[in-house]
Amino acid sequence: MKVFQHVTDLGDLRTALAEAQEVKRDRYQWQHLGRNKTALLIFFNNSLRTRLSTQKAAMNLGMNVIVLDVNQGAWKLETERGVIMDSDKSEHLLEAIPVMGSYCDIIGVRSFARFESREDDYEEKILNQFIQYSGRPVFFMESATVHPLQAFADLITITENSQTLPPFSLSGKEGGKSIKVVMTWAPHPRALPQAVPNSFAEWMQTAAQEGLGIDFVITHPEGYELDPQFVKGARVEYDQMKAFEGADFVYAKNWSCPGVTRPEDYGKVLHDYHTMMDWCVSARQMAVTNDAAFMHCLPVRRNMIVTDDVIESPRSLVIPEAANREISAQVVLKRMLETLIA
């Protein structure tokens, strides 16, 4: 595997989930793969879970790790061609990228949406330059449009906490009843990107299509429709309470307008959050579920996205979900190392 961006890069999900459980049983049995290999983790944006979990995963595999915070420990980088560089940006990404590639074997990059241009964000201009010019395998540690390491960890968490899914059967046979997974929009005071909901939708609907027994539903106010390339035909329900009925897992996340039908609204918050507080996940919504587990990628704004009692309940999976970020990152790095030495 030379690029990790979408669920399709991972191949068969049952195989990937089985590999995740093997990694979880013994994180250190593949240290020979990473010996004398270096992972460079590049952060254009702040991070807690992604930085710590990916660094730990690389260390589990015996790798050396270099972490670069672009906005704190490097020259400011220009990313656009044709710009007269007379501002505070001293170096161009087109020179920086091959230099970075010369110091490492694998590169992970984290760069959020800028909300300046939907076209630029959804074309993933920054990450694609790393793929094109670094000469190294590149994995996305969250980008303008996707967060695949988070979505993989989410899927691991769901399969570990379901009594009905047959996730680790390599036979490809379906078994048990399906579970209902609901992703709900929730209010937030700031405009947030669509990377997490895009990837969660992409991975859940792919798991459903591969016969893992998932019934996936998305609920949000009108105007927040995600790009069809990620939704992949999943059911959208605009009535949140109706969507929550019988749910086994509830995944809460805010996102700004994706601008699918109105590009001019891309990145906007369409409603004053004060008027949308009934979308905050509370005991009222959870009461109509099938004693659903609660999930969120973190960090989470309490009593905006979710109430204290829900996130602190025994059915909250936010901590094991975060812990599984180490596992998802290690599976990806392991596969990239195997490609390097093949």
Side-chain angles (χ1 to χ4, degrees), residues 165-181:
L165 289 183
F168 309 126
S169 170
L170 303 187
S171 65
K173 297 179 180 179
E174 297 185 30
K177 70 178 185 69
S178 64
I179 63 167
K180 184 176 181 180
V181 178

Side-chain angles (χ1 to χ4, degrees), residues 262-283:
R262 289 175 53 86
E264 63 270 25
D265 287 339
Y266 172 62
K268 292 182 179 179
V269 177
L270 301 179
H271 309 88
D272 183 334
Y273 72 85
H274 294 96
T275 69
M276 305 299 290
M277 291 303 294
D278 58 340
W279 281 80
C280 174
V281 178
S282 68

